[in-house]
Every structure is written in C-alpha cells, then in structure tokens.
Amino acid sequence: MRSQSGHPGRPRLRAAAVVCAAVAVAGPAPAAAWAAAPQTPAPAPAPAPSPDPFDGLAPDRIADRAVTATRSADSLRMTGRVVADGQRLDVDFSVDDQGSCKGRVGIDDGTAELRRLDGITYMKGDEAFWRTSMTSQGVPESQIAPVIELIQGRWLKIAPGQAGSGDLSEVCDLDSLLDGLGKDGSDRAGLTRGPDAEVDGTPVATLVEKDGGETTTVSVAQEGEPYIREVVRTGGDEPGTVTLSDFDRPVKVTAPPAGETVDLSRLDPGSPV
C-alpha cells in the first residue's frame, strides 16, 4: 500500500528544508517522502486496556476508524526522520487546519526553524543547513556564499506569491499534509492485528502489513480518539518511523521581529510579490 493510494499510516510529507533551499536561488523543488529512522525500535509490547475498544473489529475496520479520527483532527505534531533524494531530513513541527505551523527541520548536519502564519513563511537556518540545502540543488559555491552571508542568523521571509510559497503552504496545511491518507479503503485488506503496545505511554493496537521483505506497523490509540500514533517501517529501502501527537492542541505562532528578517525578493528580485 502506498500513500497515494490510501495507506492508513503514511501521511505525505514534503521536505520543507529542500523546498526552502530551492526557493532561495532556483525556485521550488519539493521532495516527497515519508519517514526513515532505522534506529527507532517498534513499539514495546504492552497489555491492552480492558475492555479492548477494538474487540471484535477486523483490522481493516480499525484502520477505518483510525483514518477518520486522524483526518478530523484540528491540529497535530509530527516528528520523524525523512529521506528525500538520499538526504537525511529530521522533522519536528506542529501544524493546524488554519495554515499555521512551527517547528524545526534538519538536513544532514544542519538545522533550521520554521514558522508560518497569515500566509507568510519564515525560516532561520544555520550555515550547514543552507549550504547543504543549496548544494543539493546544484547551486554553485560562488552563489552560495553571498546568500549565506546575507541570511546567516536571520529569518528568510517568504510571502504569498513568491517562489516556493505554494509548496511551503502545503507543508503547513493540515489537509495537504494528510492528503492521500486513507482515500482508498480497499488497500487495507492485507492488514493483520499485531500485539498491543504503548506509544509515549498511550496504549495502542498495532496493525501490520507485510509486503515482501518490508513490514509496516501502524499504531492506533486505544484510549480517547483512535488516532494514528506511530508508523514503524522495517526492511525495504526506506525503514523508519513517523510519530503523531498533540492532536487538537492550539498551535501558537509569532512572527520574528522585522529587523531580524530578510525578504526573499532580496535573493530573487525577479520572483513575483
């Protein structure tokens, strides 16, 4: 099962780090990926709550409930390690259904903060983040150094209509982030129920899919709303983990001080404003 066709536990992630690096000099180049953190173990076994809220339900019906609940959330936090174009991206951000988000992204050894509110995106990265990002887009060193000098220690401000703003709006849009999650229920036919476990102290039921040498385990909360809490993937080309939390909690975002920002137009005067 694939995210485009309705896998219950693989929400689409666009790599904000790569997008923003492309914005700085060459326009948007989003990298679609989900998660890869091979050092993260599967959920630890744990006793199921009594009574089991999913008692008597087939795995595909549990998946139906999980997809419906997760898609109905007003906000959530997503953490994980993402692989895009062979690069390691660490992601930890919160997003709501009003287009606001905040968090951190890491690309190889660099990191950056991300904020978005009122349609405007701000990113503040360290030198390693910007250098790695722009190098991955094929930007020559002669162009990288001046850009880093201009934005080092400051927030890059990307307004609606500027290059890359559309892709970044999808990063911070909850509906876009979860686009494709569970659209095709027929793809859940191969799920089986695994042993109950815990994710961050919450009892979960696990749904398991095996596809050749690849195993995907989706953890569904057994207390409160049946949200998807974690996806662990082992084997195959993209082993890893995605964790979802902080459902329906307000995402409070503040804009950086104007004196600490650099408008994207200073890097790309030809981009539309």
Side-chain angles (χ1 to χ4, degrees):
M1 291 184 282
R2 297 291 180 263
S3 59
Q4 290 86 353
S5 59
H7 194 293
R10 291 176 63 180
R12 181 182 59 172
L13 260 181
R14 289 185 179 272
V18 175
V19 173
C20 205
V23 163
V25 287
W34 69 289
Q39 75 279 12
T40 305
S50 182
D52 177 2
F54 305 128
D55 186 37
L57 285 181
D60 62 328
R61 296 300 299 160
I62 299 174
D64 288 343
R65 292 190 179 186
V67 166
T68 298
T70 304
R71 290 189 63 89
S72 67
D74 295 329
S75 62
L76 57 80
R77 178 183 180 189
M78 177 176 286
T79 59
R81 178 164 290 174
V82 182
V83 168
D85 296 334
Q87 291 179 313
R88 187 191 76 241
L89 297 174
D90 294 302
V91 180
D92 182 352
F93 66 96
S94 299
V95 57
D96 66 19
D97 59 0
Q98 302 301 308
S100 297
C101 72
K102 64 179 180 180
R104 301 181 68 86
V105 292
I107 179 169
D108 291 340
D109 295 325
T111 60
E113 294 181 67
L114 169 70
R115 299 183 191 177
R116 183 177 175 88
L117 71 161
D118 299 329
I120 299 176
T121 304
Y122 304 88
M123 287 199 80
K124 182 180 182 181
D126 58 22
E127 180 175 352
F129 172 84
W130 292 119
R131 186 172 298 280
T132 301
S133 299
M134 288 187 281
T135 299
S136 73
Q137 299 301 311
V139 180
E141 175 62 29
S142 61
Q143 296 181 29
I144 292 176
V147 170
I148 291 178
E149 183 177 356
L150 179 63
I151 62 179
Q152 184 71 42
R154 304 173 75 182
W155 294 85
L156 182 63
K157 179 181 178 180
I158 306 167
Q162 291 183 312
S165 62
D167 293 299
L168 286 168
S169 68
E170 290 191 16
V171 173
C172 290
D173 180 80
L174 190 58
D175 287 338
S176 294
L177 191 68
L178 299 178
D179 186 33
L181 180 62
K183 285 186 175 179
D184 186 355
S186 65
D187 279 345
R188 301 169 202 155
L191 293 170
T192 60
R193 183 163 178 177
D196 294 315
E198 285 188 357
V199 174
D200 295 334
T202 298
V204 295
T206 62
L207 306 176
V208 181
E209 180 204 24
K210 295 183 181 294
D211 183 7
E214 179 180 288
T215 300
T216 302
T217 302
V218 181
S219 297
V220 181
Q222 292 177 294
E223 293 181 348
E225 294 292 327
Y227 293 125
I228 295 172
R229 292 300 313 275
E230 191 168 71
V231 182
V232 176
R233 193 176 181 195
T234 58
D237 297 329
E238 297 179 335
T241 296
V242 164
T243 301
L244 304 180
S245 62
D246 294 354
F247 295 93
D248 299 319
R249 294 187 182 181
V251 179
K252 299 179 180 179
V253 186
T254 58
E260 297 179 11
T261 67
V262 176
D263 194 278
L264 175 63
S265 61
R266 293 189 60 184
L267 306 182
D268 181 14
S271 64
V273 177

